[in-house]
Amino acid sequence: MKITIAKTAGFCMGVRRAVEIALDEANKHGEAIYTYGPLIHNPQVLALLEEKGIPVLDTIPEKGSGIVLIRAHGVPPESIERLKAAGFKTVDATCPRVIKVQRIIRRFARKGYHAIIIGDKDHPEVIGLNGYAENKGFVVDTMEALKALPTFEQAIIVAQTTQNIQFYEKVKDWAGKNHPNYQLFDTICDSTEKRQNEILQLAESSDAIIIVGGKSSGNTQRLAELAIQAGKPAFHIESEGDLDLAQLADAEVITISAGASTPNWIINRVYNHLESSLVGAKKPMKKKIYDCQQFLLRTNIYLSLGAGSLCYACSKLQGIEHGLLSALVAMMYVLSMHILNHLTAIHAIMYNEPDRAEFYSRNKTRLATLAIAVGGVGLFLVFTMGQVPFVLLFCMSLMGLSYNLHLIPGPMGQGKYKKISDIPGSKTVLISLAWGIVTALLPALSTQESFRLATIPAFLMATGMVFSRTVFYDILDMQGDRIVGQRTLPLFLGDKKTIRVLKWILVGLLIILPLSSALHLISSLGYFLSLFPMMMMMLLNAYERGGLVYSLLLEFLMETPLILTGVIALIWYIS
Ligand code: SF4
């Protein structure tokens, strides 16, 4: 069974912008914040905004105070005036593409033109657009209604930004033939156009189509209509709970698409729910492999194997003979720290990794016991390697433990930076440095020899690879991280700039590893390990092409290169 996610699924520019404005305003002000009408048409996002203290204002009271966000669909100009008159400050989160249509209507209305708006008369965007027509607006949603309109001397025709493209083409055709004096504007948003075209294209090769999004979202409804028109079983759902798995059991290829107001984390939940319920449903062996992968990844055991492997590879790069003890310590440290940090950050991973959050909530005690036990064993093992490695790992463990904890008690700790994790980018930098130290530096320190130059390229390789991996996850998690207030690198730089930074780091590794081997700074293993920055680069390119989601398979693909470093080092060592 294959599950595909449409590249265009999820937030469009206008919705992303509106949600970001709302979250930024919520963090900025002490005063009450409201949205006038639902900010976007998605129940989960609205529930989340409510949770963040941004309720919906359905009607404008006579008197009020605080900030009112104007929804992404826009509102009539009189509503803004009334909000201001009531005492509210307004922050405009109207999508710039909707503003463009509002301006067209207003400009022509002032010249005396009538405005024919092709759209749903009850849709907030259309109500808002009509408000700019200065009482000369007509809203129609069928050809019959259009033909029944009086003939105007001067008129413009615009479409609701999420209107059906094929229908608007018919409208333009009819107007061109019957009213050549009317001015036509292509106001359907290209995001809508791409989304609709993609679903029609994907429908051809799919056995079933799932459209995720609010039931009241116009563009989501139209996607579902198009999928049905394409003759394939199509299901419009709001969340994974609405899925009827029995109806999908025979589908070999399932396509998921989503409306412009559906957040990524909901799409990922649907994908993961389908994957975990249907993969291997008819093949028990496949199901067992899937469950095993899931267990290893959820518990971080797979990641810790990666740490051990990377440590072994770094030892061999540096020409250290006995790297197994260090590899064991690296495994214990990484397993312990990652479990503990997930346990203290269940709320933060709730949006991006709901399955993992649920797994950690369910197994809190068992996982905490495991983390403390392996952490203790790791410290004992490192103690046998010498005082310096022990002190170093002990300090790193303390730092790792305190990462998500409130460090400054009382009123002093009410500022912006209450925890280490509040420092922008700290998670990525600290994780990468910790991995570099534990996988490359500890093996070198355990030899009790004087400083070796080989440690530098080995350290750079380990930190560079882990940095790329961690930041890549941060890119996938951007929407959820913004909601829970995480301060990650991609949220500062944006995903495009972050990917550029990562590519430069990977190019750097691709130069450092073979060059260091050629200069005999490290062993010839360096040539072979260059493969891994290359693999990471391929993943980044795949992400840029679109369609990569936070799935078990992706997580597996991301962590496997770390394990392969150890396998290749072992083969290299034996041969
Ligand atoms: S679909 Fe287009 S017009 Fe509508 S909010 Fe999104 S970007 Fe703006």
Side-chain angles (χ1 to χ4, degrees), residues 4 49 78 192 221 225 235 238 289 299 304 355 485 491 515:
T4 310
L49 292 176
E78 307 82 62
T192 308
Q221 285 167 9
E225 284 161 19
F235 309 93
E238 286 196 340
I289 294 172
T299 51
S304 73
D355 289 353
L491 286 179
L515 189 68

Side-chain angles (χ1 to χ4, degrees), residues 118-308:
I118 310 295
D120 308 332
K121 68 175 184 324
D122 297 328
H123 192 281
E125 179 193 325
V126 176
I127 296 171
L129 292 178
N130 206 8
Y132 286 83
E134 302 186 351
N135 298 322
K136 292 187 284 293
F138 292 85
V139 179
V140 291
D141 59 356
T142 61
M143 285 306 291
E144 292 68 40
L146 178 66
K147 288 173 189 171
L149 287 178
T151 298
F152 305 111
E153 211 174 291
Q154 333 184 74
I156 59 164
I157 300 184
V158 294
Q160 181 182 347
T161 53
T162 51
Q163 187 50 253
N164 182 309
I165 302 159
Q166 291 153 351
F167 177 58
Y168 195 51
E169 284 305 315
K170 278 191 208 158
V171 168
K172 288 198 295 186
D173 229 41
W174 176 86
K177 284 180 193 143
N178 296 284
H179 298 283
N181 57 321
Y182 288 5
Q183 291 205 36
L184 301 164
F185 290 89
D186 282 320
T187 52
I188 295 182
C189 165
D190 60 347
S191 153
T192 308
E193 196 171 338
K194 284 183 193 151
R195 213 175 287 262
Q196 293 183 2
N197 287 338
E198 192 185 16
I199 201 65
L200 288 174
Q201 203 188 337
L202 287 172
E204 287 173 19
S205 52
S206 307
D207 300 318
I209 298 163
I210 293 165
I211 306 292
V212 193
K215 293 274 161 118
S216 55
S217 156
N219 77 86
T220 313
Q221 285 167 9
R222 266 183 282 280
L223 273 186
E225 284 161 19
L226 281 176
I228 292 167
Q229 280 166 24
K232 296 293 166 81
F235 309 93
H236 179 175
I237 59 165
E238 286 196 340
S239 70
E240 71 276 20
D242 301 339
L243 277 172
D244 184 347
L245 296 171
Q247 289 187 295
L248 298 165
D250 293 327
E252 283 302 320
V253 182
I254 299 176
T255 292
I256 302 174
S257 186
S261 47
T262 312
N264 282 351
W265 82 83
I266 302 288
I267 303 171
N268 290 354
R269 280 182 197 202
V270 171
Y271 178 95
N272 288 320
H273 186 64
L274 272 179
E275 190 186 53
S276 60
S277 311
L278 296 181
V279 165
K282 292 177 193 159
K283 294 180 185 157
M285 195 57 199
K286 205 171 170 188
K287 177 75 182 147
K288 279 203 178 97
I289 294 172
Y290 179 87
D291 289 345
C292 181
Q293 273 180 335
Q294 193 176 45
F295 176 78
L296 291 175
L297 288 168
R298 294 283 171 271
T299 51
N300 289 303
I301 291 175
Y302 199 65
L303 183 66
S304 73
L305 286 172

Side-chain angles (χ1 to χ4, degrees), residues 6 26 36 85 99 128 143 164 179 183 188 229 285 293 302-303 349 387 395 406 448 459 486 495 504 528:
Y36 178 44
I99 292 178
M143 285 306 291
N164 182 309
H179 298 283
Q183 291 205 36
I188 295 182
Q229 280 166 24
M285 195 57 199
Q293 273 180 335
Y302 199 65
L303 183 66
I349 59 174
Q387 267 181 11
C395 293
H406 286 245
Q448 321 227 324
F459 180 81
Q486 295 266 35
D495 56 348
W504 278 113
F528 301 101

